[in-house]
């Protein structure tokens, strides 16, 4: 492991200067990245100083530095977690063999596809969120948005580094393509459906960072188990930053729910007090949670079985949670369609790996929801996760109609009750009306969200986190 080179054109801890060809390739990619950032990164605020953390190390005790930075000048770099001495492949057909430092030829295309798919989500989320600054509920939240954005940019760098380093010309072309697709573009959309959805209000942003970034956490945990060690080390460090993205979403939603609960306890209808009513919050939850469930793929998947068998993508925390690292004998019982009916059936465990991953995700989401519901204590209300069958567009439940409770319904009933369960045009219009103007006064917050319990990096809540419109 080389030292951290912070003063290079591309900050890194991968000894980039020792490989002149790779360094030139990444320095050629860098202006294309900056052009993408200028075009598709956050609107407005590009010339303002933002109180951001920047990765400067992979040492858990002091890996980030906080200071004011203009976003186009942010020091995006390449950081891999420290190698694990004598690390061995922890699952699949090559269990117990030394991990790979180079791409095995037989897995080249599959690994490239996994890296490209993960890499494509990073710029996509920046594009989805680029206009949110114009309606921020506070400087604190505006800063958090930009922190998420610049770190998604660094995660894009992480995947671009792997593509450039290990996949030759194909990798360079794929890295350029990551900057050419656009979220929601009908001709060049992003690869995964959830990353083509518009995020034009802060309720969607907080739901996205709670649920969709939590999917990102589990995908990174699965890839962190990979037998391809550079990918594992890359994802292990990305998880350090990903935790903050989920904090932004979950704590943002907690504050929204707290404000709504204050209204309910005072006997006020939340909308009349300029807050968000629980029915609308539940509909947005239903929407983003179900979209995020789709990101895990089909319940029964030959691809998932192949990824596991090949040692490319495992189960989160494989060594500490599981004893059978081959997964050849066991099965996973799930409901599958046979003759038009859902019936329980044992599925070969390797083919059910997407569902194993989804189980861990659902459990984690339920814990987050429990923390939101604590804010509602005394109101007689609670938020619920819908069934994982509801509103699915991928997997065995796609093309079928289910109520949030999980029972199958007709297409006619779904059409009739859709606005009860998912955001209607009127709901979206109301949410946008609440967020029509930004709140840019330090220490002030919009009517629909409570202040946070503490500031960032020991700063007070009324700290000027964004030096907006200053010379």
């Amino acid at each position: 492991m080389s030292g951290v080179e912070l003063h290079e054109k591309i900050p890194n801890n991968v000894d980039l200067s020792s490989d002149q060809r790779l360094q030139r390739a990444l320095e050629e990619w860098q202006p294309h990245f900056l052009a993408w950032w200028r075009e598709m990164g956050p609107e407005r605020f590009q010339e303002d100083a933002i109180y951001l953390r920047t990765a400067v190390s992979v040492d858990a005790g002091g890996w980030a530095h906080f200071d004011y930075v203009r976003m186009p000048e942010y020091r995006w770099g390449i950081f891999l977690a420290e190698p694990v001495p004598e690390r061995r492949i922890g699952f699949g057909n090559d269990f117990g063999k030394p991990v790979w430092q180079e791409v095995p030829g037989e897995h080249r295309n599959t690994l490239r596809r996994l890296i490209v798919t993960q890499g494509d989500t990073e710029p996509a989320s920046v594009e989805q969120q680029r206009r949110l600054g114009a309606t921020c509920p506070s400087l604190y939240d505006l800063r958090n948005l930009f922190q998420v954005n610049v770190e998604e940019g660094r995660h894009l760098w992480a995947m671009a580094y792997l593509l450039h380093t290990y996949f030759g010309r194909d990798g360079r072309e794929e890295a350029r393509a990551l900057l050419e697709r656009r979220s929601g573009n009908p001709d060049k959309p992003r690869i995964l459906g959830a990353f083509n959805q518009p995020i034009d209000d802060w309720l969607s942003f907080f739901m996205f960072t709670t649920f969709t970034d939590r999917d990102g956490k589990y995908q990174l945990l699965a890839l962190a188990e990979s037998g391809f060690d550079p990918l594992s080390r890359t994802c292990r460090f990305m998880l350090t930053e990903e935790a903050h993205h989920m904090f932004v979403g979950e704590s943002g939603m907690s504050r929204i729910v707290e404000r709504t609960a204050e209204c309910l306890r005072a006997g006020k209808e939340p909308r009349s007090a300029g807050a968000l009513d629980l029915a609308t919050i539940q509909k947005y939850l239903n929407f983003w949670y179900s979209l995020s469930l789709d990101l895990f793929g089909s319940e029964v998947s030959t691809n998932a079985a192949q990824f596991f068998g090949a040692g490319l993508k495992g189960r989160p925390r494989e060594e500490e949670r599981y004893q059978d690292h081959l997964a050849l004998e066991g099965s996973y019982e799930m409901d599958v369609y046979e003759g038009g009916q859902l019936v329980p059936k044992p599925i070969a465990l390797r083919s059910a790996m997407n569902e194993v991953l989804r189980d861990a995700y659902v459990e984690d989401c339920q814990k987050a929801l429990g923390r939101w519901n604590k804010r509602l204590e005394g109101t007689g209300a609670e938020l619920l996760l819908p069934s994982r069958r509801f509103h699915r567009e991928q997997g065995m439940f796609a093309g079928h109609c289910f109520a949030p409770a999980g029972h199958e319904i007709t297409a006619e009933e779904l059409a009739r009750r859709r606005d009860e369960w998912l955001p209607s045009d009127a709901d979206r219009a109301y949410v946008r009306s609440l967020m029509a103007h930004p709140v840019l006064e330090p220490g002030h917050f919009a009517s629909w969200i409570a202040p946070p319990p503490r500031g960032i990096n020991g700063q007070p809540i009324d700290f000027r986190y964004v030096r907006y419109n200053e010379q």
Side-chain angles (χ1 to χ4, degrees), residues 178-462:
L178 291 175
L179 300 173
E180 293 168 355
R181 288 185 286 272
R182 294 288 183 267
S183 176
N185 185 297
D187 299 317
K188 283 191 172 183
R190 291 296 173 180
I191 294 170
L192 300 175
F195 293 90
N196 289 300
Q197 289 290 331
I199 300 178
D200 50 14
D201 62 70
W202 282 75
L203 182 55
S204 291
F205 171 67
F206 289 135
M207 290 292 185
F208 179 95
T209 42
T210 295
F211 293 117
T212 312
D213 277 318
R214 188 169 256 98
D215 160 77
K217 166 188 170 181
Y218 280 91
Q219 300 300 336
L220 291 175
L221 282 169
L223 293 172
E225 299 290 333
S226 179
F228 179 45
D229 204 42
L231 175 60
S232 170
R233 291 170 55 204
T234 299
C235 292
R236 280 163 45 210
F237 183 70
M238 287 170 68
L239 282 160
T240 303
E241 296 172 317
E242 196 74 22
H244 177 261
H245 306 180
M246 290 182 295
F247 164 79
V248 169
E250 189 180 322
S251 65
M253 283 308 308
S254 289
R255 292 160 51 217
I256 288 175
V257 171
E258 177 61 36
R259 175 71 182 114
T260 300
E262 289 172 2
C263 296
L264 295 174
R265 292 190 193 101
K268 297 179 183 176
E269 199 284 316
R271 287 200 179 196
S272 68
L276 286 155
D277 57 289
L278 279 180
T280 299
I281 294 172
Q282 181 70 61
K283 292 179 198 180
Y284 273 69
L285 187 162
N286 291 348
F287 180 81
W288 284 106
Y289 175 69
S290 58
L291 246 59
S292 301
L293 286 173
D294 276 346
L295 294 171
F296 290 89
S298 297
E299 287 76 9
V300 182
S301 171
T302 55
N303 280 339
Q306 290 167 2
F307 296 160
F308 186 90
L312 303 181
K313 184 178 180 182
R315 292 171 290 192
R317 304 182 180 94
E318 175 76 28
E319 184 176 355
E320 63 187 78
R321 288 193 173 185
Y322 303 97
Q323 293 184 332
D324 174 13
H325 303 300
L326 300 182
L328 285 171
E329 303 296 330
S331 63
Y332 181 111
E333 186 165 294
M334 68 175 79
D335 291 339
V336 299
Y337 275 100
E338 285 191 352
Q341 299 291 321
L342 281 172
V343 295
K345 186 175 180 181
I347 301 297
L349 187 54
R350 286 191 178 189
S351 295
M353 285 299 171
N354 285 345
E355 201 66 357
V356 171
L357 197 61
R358 192 161 18 227
D359 281 344
Y361 169 81
V362 170
E363 181 182 354
D364 201 1
C365 289
Q366 190 62 59
K367 290 176 182 176
L369 207 68
R371 291 187 282 271
W372 295 350
N373 282 330
K374 280 191 176 296
R375 304 294 182 109
L376 291 168
E377 287 179 353
T379 67
E382 65 176 344
L383 295 164
L384 300 170
L385 288 182
S387 165
R388 65 175 76 187
R389 300 173 182 177
F390 174 70
H391 190 233
R392 292 289 303 283
E393 297 181 1
Q394 299 290 329
M396 74 172 67
F397 303 119
H400 297 270
C401 301
F402 292 89
H407 57 278
E408 195 159 6
I409 58 175
T410 64
E412 290 75 19
E413 183 176 358
L414 177 61
R416 188 174 68 252
R417 303 189 65 183
R418 186 179 184 86
D419 287 354
E420 292 179 39
W421 298 330
L422 294 167
S424 66
D425 290 343
D427 294 325
R428 295 185 187 278
Y430 173 70
V431 172
R432 287 195 298 270
S433 74
L434 278 187
M435 305 174 189
H437 304 289
V439 177
L440 296 169
E441 180 98 15
H444 287 228
F445 293 83
S447 65
W448 48 269
I449 192 167
R454 62 189 65 85
I456 296 159
N457 191 38
Q459 302 294 350
I461 292 172
D462 61 357

Side-chain angles (χ1 to χ4, degrees), residues 147-162:
Q147 185 69 61
V148 170
N149 292 161
V150 295
E151 288 180 352
E152 299 291 17
R154 205 207 63 74
H155 295 178
L156 170 58
W157 266 97
M159 296 296 111
Y161 164 75
L162 294 176

Side-chain angles (χ1 to χ4, degrees), residues 8-168:
E8 297 289 328
K9 186 174 182 181
I10 302 171
N12 70 92
N13 71 341
V14 295
D15 197 18
L16 187 58
S17 59
S18 69
D19 188 335
Q20 294 295 309
R21 184 174 181 180
L22 174 61
Q23 186 174 31
R24 282 195 302 272
L26 285 166
E27 289 180 355
E28 288 176 7
W29 188 80
Q30 188 175 40
H32 296 286
F33 168 84
L34 291 172
W36 165 81
W37 180 270
R38 285 284 192 182
E39 179 191 355
M40 298 305 298
E43 284 191 351
R44 303 166 68 179
F45 305 103
Q46 290 281 356
E47 302 308 317
D48 297 312
I50 320 295
Y51 187 68
L52 295 172
R53 72 177 187 185
T54 303
V56 295
S57 169
V58 294
D59 180 4
W63 66 273
H65 173 71
F66 287 81
D67 204 353
Y68 285 103
V69 181
R70 287 178 172 81
M71 285 185 283
E73 299 165 7
Y74 189 80
R75 298 285 285 158
W76 286 286
I78 300 162
F79 295 93
L80 275 64
E82 293 283 356
V84 176
E86 300 182 3
R87 180 172 175 253
R88 306 225 163 222
I89 297 171
F91 61 94
N93 301 336
D94 290 322
F95 173 69
K97 295 181 181 179
V99 292
W100 309 302
Q101 301 303 327
E102 299 292 334
V103 177
E106 67 271 27
H107 301 320
R108 180 183 178 84
N109 290 340
T110 304
L111 265 172
R112 187 180 67 202
R113 178 156 56 102
L114 285 169
I115 292 167
V116 167
T117 302
Q118 178 63 44
D120 192 71
T121 67
E122 316 296 353
S125 60
V126 176
E127 293 164 0
Q128 289 172 289
Q129 299 159 17
R130 62 191 301 262
R131 295 188 173 91
L132 288 176
T135 59
C136 64
S138 72
L139 288 185
Y140 168 92
D141 292 293
L142 184 62
R143 177 266 170 203
N144 279 346
L145 166 69
F146 295 153
Q147 185 69 61
V148 170
N149 292 161
V150 295
E151 288 180 352
E152 299 291 17
R154 205 207 63 74
H155 295 178
L156 170 58
W157 266 97
M159 296 296 111
Y161 164 75
L162 294 176
L163 290 168
H164 276 93
T165 306
Y166 298 100
F167 294 91

